Amino acid sequence: MKVCILTLFPELFAPFWDHGIIRRAVQGKKLDPLTVNIRDHAKGRHRVTDDRPYGGGCGMVMKPDPLTAALSAARAQVPGATTLLLSPQGRPFDQALARSLAERDALIFVCGRYEGVDERFIDRYVDAEISIGDFVLTGGELGAMVIVDAVARLIPGVLGNQDSAESDTFSDGLVEYAHYTRPPVFDDQRVPDVLLSGNHHAIDRWRAENALIRTLLKRPDLLEQRHLSAEEREILK
Ligand code: 9D3
């Protein structure tokens, strides 16, 4: 997948491409990243990318012309890409959206700074606006990284075993069961006996129950949206 980031801070992305699973995806050619510095497409000696809002008010607005020039440069390098704007007003990002974006061949992420982006740029060039949650960031860059991170691991061949992408939290609408590793006793806390029993049927059943109970305790909102079988209701009682 080709991923192009339009940003005023391209340096923020260098360490992101260079670590962990994302780095492996890049090395394995599953992810082909590119950043475009919006400032490189701004005119004049001062290369201004923002200006005061028409109608007054505080804060600055990103000018549409440098953004459009930067996007043209990006589209020339990644033809056919879907253009996404990171924005507090966007559609809330979730795992379903990650799965759908993972099917695309190329994505362009436009990262805003300041108070916002001139609406005419959005109207004409942006395919979708995405938010990563109801809190206020200082710009779209972290949002773009969050989305690229979530999408990249869904690209076939990026994760070691493809199972781990499927059995993740949210795939079946529950949080995951508790995990344990050695030592068998830590600070007076024992690993549940069943996990040491070697009885895989019993282990599967314990994990299914544990996931259900943990969802009730940690994310009751997820249970509201999920159908529960009679057996699951009995466990939760
Ligand atoms: C006071 C009005 N603010 C809107 C909530 C202005 C404003 C704040 C922060 C406008 C832009 C930003 C920068 N945020 C993003 O670019 C952003 C974001 C976010 O703030 N929250 C969640 N997801 C995202 S994606 C991009």
Side-chain angles (χ1 to χ4, degrees):
M1 174 186 285
K2 289 190 174 179
V3 168
C4 182
I5 315 281
L6 268 60
T7 172
L8 286 168
F9 299 107
E11 310 81 17
L12 287 176
F13 288 86
F16 175 63
W17 308 128
D18 220 36
H19 289 87
I21 288 169
I22 297 300
R23 171 156 122 161
R24 232 179 39 211
V26 175
Q27 287 171 338
K29 305 270 162 84
K30 306 287 181 190
L31 199 63
D32 183 6
L34 179 78
T35 55
V36 170
N37 190 339
I38 297 164
R39 193 170 300 281
D40 289 345
H41 298 271
K43 301 222 184 321
R45 196 161 67 83
H46 298 291
R47 314 227 137 209
V48 175
T49 58
D50 62 327
D51 204 344
R52 289 158 35 213
Y54 276 121
C58 55
M60 299 293 271
V61 176
M62 290 188 80
K63 291 164 64 61
D65 35 328
L67 280 172
T68 301
L71 183 60
S72 294
R75 283 183 171 170
Q77 303 205 52
V78 286
T82 300
T83 301
L84 306 172
L85 174 68
L86 282 302
S87 150
Q89 287 88 43
R91 164 177 170 186
F93 185 64
D94 62 12
Q95 192 64 19
L97 184 49
R99 280 189 215 108
S100 132
L101 293 177
E103 292 173 1
R104 316 222 64 107
D105 288 331
L107 297 172
I108 296 172
F109 293 86
V110 181
C111 305
R113 284 269 155 175
Y114 318 115
E115 283 304 293
V117 171
D118 188 296
E119 196 69 20
R120 294 165 297 180
F121 171 79
I122 302 173
D123 288 346
R124 184 139 305 167
Y125 298 113
V126 170
D127 296 310
E129 292 181 75
I130 306 180
S131 161
I132 62 160
D134 292 339
F135 40 80
V136 183
L137 302 173
T138 59
E141 285 79 5
L142 286 171
M145 286 185 218
V146 165
I147 294 171
V148 171
D149 196 82
V151 168
R153 61 185 291 290
L154 297 177
I155 298 171
V158 165
L159 289 187
N161 77 42
Q162 197 53 32
D163 286 6
S164 31
E166 268 320 296
S167 71
D168 279 335
T169 305
F170 306 124
S171 288
D172 65 352
L174 298 176
V175 306
E176 278 195 342
Y177 55 76
H179 295 79
Y180 299 90
T181 186
R182 292 186 294 178
V185 183
F186 173 72
D187 278 358
D188 294 342
Q189 304 173 96
R190 288 175 53 78
V191 172
D193 282 329
V194 62
L195 298 180
L196 308 179
S197 69
N199 180 343
H200 294 290
H201 184 72
I203 291 171
D204 286 348
R205 216 176 51 219
W206 181 89
R207 284 179 169 168
E209 291 190 9
N210 186 254
L212 204 54
I213 293 165
R214 278 157 58 92
T215 307
L216 181 65
L217 295 174
K218 292 167 186 279
R219 290 293 306 276
D221 57 301
L222 292 180
L223 288 186
E224 311 261 303
Q225 304 160 37
R226 187 180 182 276
H227 172 80
L228 291 173
S229 68
E231 194 186 348
E232 287 174 330
R233 282 176 197 285
E234 207 47 45
I235 291 164
L236 288 174
K237 264 206 286 189

